[in-house]
Amino acid sequence: MVLHVPTIANGGRWFKVYLQFWKLYKYPEAVRHSSHAEQPVLSRFVLVPGLLVTTVVSMILMFYINNARKPDPSLYYYVTNYRPTVSVIVNLIAHTLAFAHVYVLTSMINFSTRLLLRQYAPSLDRVKWWKAISTGNLDVSLPSRFLLPAAGFFLLALLPATLWTGALTPTMLYTHQNLNLPVQIPNYAADTDGTYWNQTWTPNAIHSVNYTSLGSFSYTPAYDRRISMLNNAADTVANQDLHISTIRNDRTTFVYNTSTFGVGASVGLLPLDFGDYSLQVQSYSYNETGYYTEVYCSRNDTADWSITEIPPDSTTETLKNIPSTYMCMGETSEGSVDYFLQYGLSPDGDPNNHSIVAMDAYANHATGNGSVVIATGTGGDKYSQLNHVQCNVTFTPALFEISVNLTSKSISVGALSTPPNTVEDMDPTAQPSETFQTWSCNALPDLGNVTVTDIYPQANCGLVTTAGQSGLGNIATRALRQLVDLSTISGNLLQSDLGDMFLGANSSEQVWCNTNVKSNCNDYPLYPVEHAIRSLLDDSLLAFASAQLMIANTTKATKMMASVQVVQFGTPQYIYLLFAFNLLLILIFVHEMLRTRAWRHLPVFDYNDIKSVIAASSLGGTALADEISVRHTKAGTFWAADSKDMVAGNVHVQMRIQNDTGAPQVVLAERDDVQRGLEKSPWLMRSRRTYSSSEWKVTPSVHERAMDDDGSVSSMGGSVLERGGSGALRL
């Protein structure tokens, strides 16, 4: 590209110079041309096919940036498993397309400077510079005033290859695709005989557990998952506040990044076949109905829930360090009563000083919620801060989105519908038209007549038929009753595992508060208790769902959305830059086409063709050689074909056309041609070097001699510049 970039502060003057720049390339009428010495018209448009190809490819790349593509398993497999081969192919294509760009750019420079060589008289160093930038080479023998722009253009010529490589290199893009593959989730189908999820909880029910390589599964998780449930509950506050993952209560090695909400059981338990996309799927998500569990606790010092020791049968004195049997009992808020046995330790023989925590949980059908009450030993017991805590529990059916990351093996659960925007309950017994059996007591036992074999006489307790209501069917009721089972079996000789869990949750919260300088932590002393109970309930619900999959084997299919790795050619940044560069090149091409009238009168002679240069220089006579020789003699040196020869580099030349044959000649420039080039030449002709005109004088021309057929030389007229005269000349 021939650009005229004058350093002019005034914008109006710049515009005038630009107009002059356009006029400059209209050939003077005095210049005569020979049509057979001009480049054919079609050959001037050899740039168009390459520019057309690069434009089409860049537009295709632009189109696919923001258009989702279907995942191609074959392409993904090839790209991920044959990276070296793909890299070779990409580099080959990138350099081919980059060559088209560089060829267009250098060819336009070549065409325009060949026109300049016919009109003006550049120095040999300038012609050498033209050759360097029109071939994309870095000629380090150029004078410094030409070397710097030549180096800049050389770096510019490397840009297309860089852009094409970035725009074609395959990268992995994550897209959400509907692969039409089902995900199996638990289905709570009709279970009228109470074999599976519809079992009725009783204090003395049989607890059946299935042990597999993936873990233990049952509908009574308090017995087979007690330790993991208590550990999760103790850490739940810190895990949620510090965003620490919670390990699932099985052997799938998956973890939850959020609360479980009792959903996502099928992840890792049931095989999921992605078919041809198995290598591409990095994560997937699906929807599942569960319970949005909320727990709100308070302290009620007048609560009718207490712990009383049952006197031993063999002695009237409680023995020190021997576990005692206690009756946890009281009246519920809805008017009914509840009680169960629990064991604890009286370390000093005092029945009132026992390390025991009793937690009762039941469905309050009058309010449609669940209730949890906690009682502890007296006499300065370490668990006393938990005494008289009462909690209200709500189970609201909600739709959850389960997001599974197969790479990190993590699960995230988010509610898509939270109260009051609810969905249909997944528990069939939670429908108002359904009923189910629940355990209920109507009278508290007489501790003086209680025997181990008859703790729950039929006159006091039994099964009753209960009407279903949303969020409080048999599934939610059994989840609440798991808290009772945990309380019953969590006592040991030294401590209460249940009580230690609550203390651990509270300690984690205090550590987090102190670390994060939270001033309002003391305002919510029961916050850790609420989260711990919620964790126990969520783990119970998750255990029920897992048992439906592994024991009942009842499932239903739901749709999934998969995050699939698809192959994208290039990155958007490189594609945008490439498209802009290609568009700029098109504008430059059109600009040059209009400015030079499609390079009208472009001579066939090309200074990049060594054959043409040698032949044209020979036809130009010996004047050029004589001038170089004379200058070297004046300088006390001699010409030795040194590429860095400054003396020869300052000699001005011009291409002439023989009037009779039309053959191009490279001749020593005449003074008029040099002067005209100095006054009107564009940027590619300008120079900051100042010459004394005493170096020049006009003599009869010897450089426009033509060889006759017999080998003699005849003068063609004209003049040459020799030393002599006065004044200064700026080139």
Side-chain angles (χ1 to χ4, degrees):
M1 159 82 186
V2 180
L3 287 176
H4 182 50
V5 189
T7 307
I8 301 174
N10 188 288
R13 187 181 173 192
W14 181 91
F15 184 70
K16 293 179 181 179
V17 173
Y18 181 75
L19 293 178
Q20 183 183 15
F21 174 51
W22 270 69
K23 296 177 182 178
L24 192 62
Y25 284 85
K26 294 183 179 180
Y27 276 95
E29 293 297 329
V31 179
R32 295 290 181 262
H33 311 283
S34 177
S35 59
H36 66 272
E38 295 179 358
Q39 191 88 12
V41 175
L42 290 179
S43 64
R44 303 174 204 167
F45 292 91
V46 71
L47 319 178
V48 174
L51 199 55
L52 182 62
V53 171
T54 58
T55 301
V56 171
V57 175
S58 62
M59 290 180 66
I60 292 175
L61 293 174
M62 280 287 292
F63 174 77
Y64 277 107
I65 286 179
N66 298 316
N67 288 271
R69 293 168 299 286
K70 293 292 183 181
D72 188 335
S74 300
L75 179 61
Y76 179 85
Y77 177 82
Y78 189 85
V79 169
T80 53
N81 290 276
Y82 299 96
R83 291 187 180 275
T85 303
V86 172
S87 180
V88 170
I89 294 174
V90 167
N91 276 277
L92 180 61
I93 297 174
H95 281 81
T96 300
L97 294 171
F99 170 77
H101 271 158
V102 174
Y103 180 75
V104 170
L105 186 59
T106 57
S107 295
M108 287 191 292
I109 292 176
N110 177 263
F111 289 174
S112 297
T113 52
R114 281 158 63 185
L115 290 175
L116 287 175
L117 185 60
R118 192 166 180 177
Q119 298 179 68
Y120 305 107
S123 66
L124 289 178
D125 277 341
R126 191 173 298 276
V127 175
K128 187 178 180 181
W129 176 49
W130 291 352
K131 182 180 185 303
I133 63 176
S134 64
T135 56
N137 295 323
L138 180 59
D139 189 347
V140 296
S141 65
L142 284 168
S144 59
R145 67 181 186 277
F146 294 124
L147 181 58
L148 291 179
F153 185 83
F154 176 78
L155 295 177
L156 177 64
L158 300 177
L159 179 62
T162 303
L163 295 179
W164 278 113
T165 302
L168 292 176
T169 300
T171 58
M172 298 305 167
L173 177 68
Y174 289 95
T175 62
H176 291 282
Q177 301 282 341
N178 184 1
L179 301 180
N180 294 320
L181 297 176
V183 176
Q184 299 298 325
I185 61 175
N187 179 34
Y188 296 93
D191 184 20
T192 54
D193 57 356
T195 304
Y196 302 113
W197 64 268
N198 201 25
Q199 297 177 15
T200 300
W201 181 91
T202 63
N204 49 13
I206 298 176
H207 309 293
S208 177
V209 181
N210 283 20
Y211 295 95
T212 71
S213 60
L214 293 175
S216 60
F217 303 94
S218 73
Y219 293 96
T220 55
Y223 286 87
D224 62 287
R225 297 187 176 189
R226 177 178 65 89
I227 300 300
S228 58
M229 289 174 64
L230 292 176
N231 287 338
N232 287 345
D235 296 335
T236 184
V237 176
N239 287 353
Q240 292 185 22
D241 289 337
L242 301 177
H243 306 288
I244 300 175
S245 300
T246 301
I247 301 176
R248 265 179 48 154
N249 300 327
D250 52 33
R251 297 176 184 170
T252 60
T253 69
F254 276 87
V255 298
Y256 278 91
N257 294 330
T258 61
S259 297
T260 68
F261 293 100
V263 295
S266 62
V267 179
L269 294 180
L270 299 183
L272 191 59
D273 184 12
F274 293 104
D276 294 336
Y277 307 105
S278 58
L279 296 177
Q280 294 177 259
V281 177
Q282 303 298 309
S283 61
Y284 67 94
S285 62
Y286 63 94
N287 297 340
E288 182 179 346
T289 302
Y291 285 130
Y292 191 92
T293 307
E294 295 178 286
V295 180
Y296 300 98
C297 297
S298 60
R299 192 179 303 277
N300 183 6
D301 293 331
T302 61
D304 185 20
W305 178 251
S306 60
I307 301 174
T308 304
E309 183 187 26
I310 300 177
D313 295 334
S314 59
T315 177
T316 58
E317 180 182 0
T318 302
L319 299 179
K320 183 178 180 180
N321 295 328
I322 299 299
S324 300
T325 304
Y326 296 90
M327 182 66 71
C328 308
M329 60 185 182
E331 184 177 345
T332 67
S333 58
E334 61 180 347
S336 61
V337 296
D338 200 15
Y339 65 92
F340 56 85
L341 286 179
Q342 193 157 327
Y343 299 93
L345 179 67
S346 297
D348 56 0
D350 183 0
N352 294 320
N353 185 18
H354 35 256
S355 297
I356 185 172
V357 175
M359 178 171 59
D360 189 24
Y362 52 89
N364 191 335
H365 296 283
T367 61
N369 300 323
S371 296
V372 178
V373 292
I374 301 176
T376 66
T378 59
D381 187 85
K382 65 177 180 178
Y383 305 118
S384 59
Q385 59 182 296
L386 300 173
N387 197 33
H388 296 154
V389 171
Q390 292 184 335
C391 303
N392 185 60
V393 182
T394 58
F395 298 93
T396 305
L399 187 65
F400 296 91
E401 180 183 46
I402 295 92
S403 301
V404 183
N405 189 313
L406 297 176
T407 303
S408 62
K409 303 197 74 171
S410 61
I411 307 170
S412 299
V413 181
L416 296 178
S417 59
T418 55
N421 300 317
T422 59
V423 297
E424 184 179 358
D425 201 312
M426 78 281 192
D427 183 354
T429 61
Q431 309 302 321
S433 59
E434 299 293 331
T435 59
F436 62 99
Q437 297 291 309
T438 60
W439 175 263
S440 179
C441 295
N442 52 38
L444 294 176
D446 181 1
L447 297 183
N449 298 323
V450 170
T451 63
V452 176
T453 57
D454 190 22
I455 299 175
Y456 303 103
Q458 293 184 356
N460 291 353
C461 304
L463 298 179
V464 297
T465 301
T466 304
Q469 52 186 306
S470 180
L472 207 61
N474 191 46
I475 293 177
T477 300
R478 286 184 61 81
L480 287 167
R481 286 302 191 175
Q482 296 311 300
L483 303 185
V484 178
D485 289 340
L486 283 173
S487 178
T488 302
I489 62 179
S490 66
N492 56 47
L493 296 179
L494 300 177
Q495 61 194 18
S496 168
D497 292 339
L498 182 65
D500 287 345
M501 178 273 294
F502 284 120
L503 295 182
N506 184 68
S507 177
S508 297
E509 172 66 7
Q510 291 299 322
V511 170
W512 182 83
C513 282
N514 295 333
T515 303
N516 294 272
V517 195
K518 299 293 184 180
S519 60
N520 61 340
C521 285
N522 293 329
D523 296 339
Y524 304 97
L526 299 181
Y527 176 82
V529 177
E530 294 172 348
H531 277 263
I533 292 175
R534 176 180 170 180
S535 174
L536 295 174
L537 293 172
D538 284 347
D539 280 351
S540 298
L541 294 171
L542 183 63
F544 298 160
S546 299
Q548 278 299 104
L549 300 174
M550 305 302 292
I551 300 177
N553 195 27
T554 57
T555 63
K556 62 181 179 180
T558 186
K559 296 180 180 179
M560 79 154 67
M561 287 295 293
S563 178
V564 183
Q565 272 192 326
V566 298
V567 178
Q568 173 180 285
F569 288 98
T571 55
Q573 295 85 350
Y574 282 104
I575 294 175
Y576 292 138
L577 289 173
L578 175 66
F579 185 80
F581 180 81
N582 190 82
L583 181 60
L584 178 62
L585 207 57
I586 293 174
L587 296 176
I588 293 174
F589 177 78
V590 173
H591 177 273
E592 283 295 282
M593 285 283 295
L594 296 175
R595 187 180 62 82
T596 62
R597 312 302 188 264
W599 295 284
R600 186 182 178 189
H601 303 310
L602 178 66
V604 176
F605 173 77
D606 187 354
Y607 52 76
N608 288 330
D609 181 13
I610 188 63
K611 177 181 67 175
S612 299
V613 170
I614 293 175
S617 298
S618 299
L619 289 176
T622 63
L624 180 57
D626 293 342
E627 178 65 22
I628 293 174
S629 177
V630 169
R631 291 195 180 195
H632 269 291
T633 301
K634 179 69 174 177
T637 59
F638 62 93
W639 185 73
D642 185 1
S643 61
K644 297 183 179 181
D645 190 341
M646 297 292 293
V647 176
N650 289 326
V651 176
H652 289 251
V653 296
Q654 190 174 29
M655 190 199 76
R656 295 286 180 85
I657 302 297
Q658 287 184 344
N659 292 334
D660 53 348
T661 65
Q665 300 172 317
V666 176
V667 299
L668 182 66
E670 297 182 4
R671 182 181 180 86
D672 292 342
D673 295 325
V674 176
Q675 183 65 35
R676 179 158 54 88
L678 300 176
E679 294 174 351
K680 298 183 178 181
S681 63
W683 179 66
L684 289 176
M685 286 294 301
R686 291 186 180 273
S687 172
R688 299 184 62 83
R689 182 177 174 84
T690 302
Y691 298 93
S692 172
S693 60
S694 61
E695 298 179 4
W696 302 91
K697 69 177 181 179
V698 180
T699 61
S701 173
V702 293
H703 65 276
E704 285 197 344
R705 295 177 295 178
M707 300 295 294
D708 294 334
D709 293 337
D710 59 0
S712 61
V713 180
S714 61
S715 176
M716 296 177 59
S719 60
V720 296
L721 296 178
E722 294 186 355
R723 290 174 298 278
S726 61
L729 203 59
R730 177 174 293 274
L731 301 185

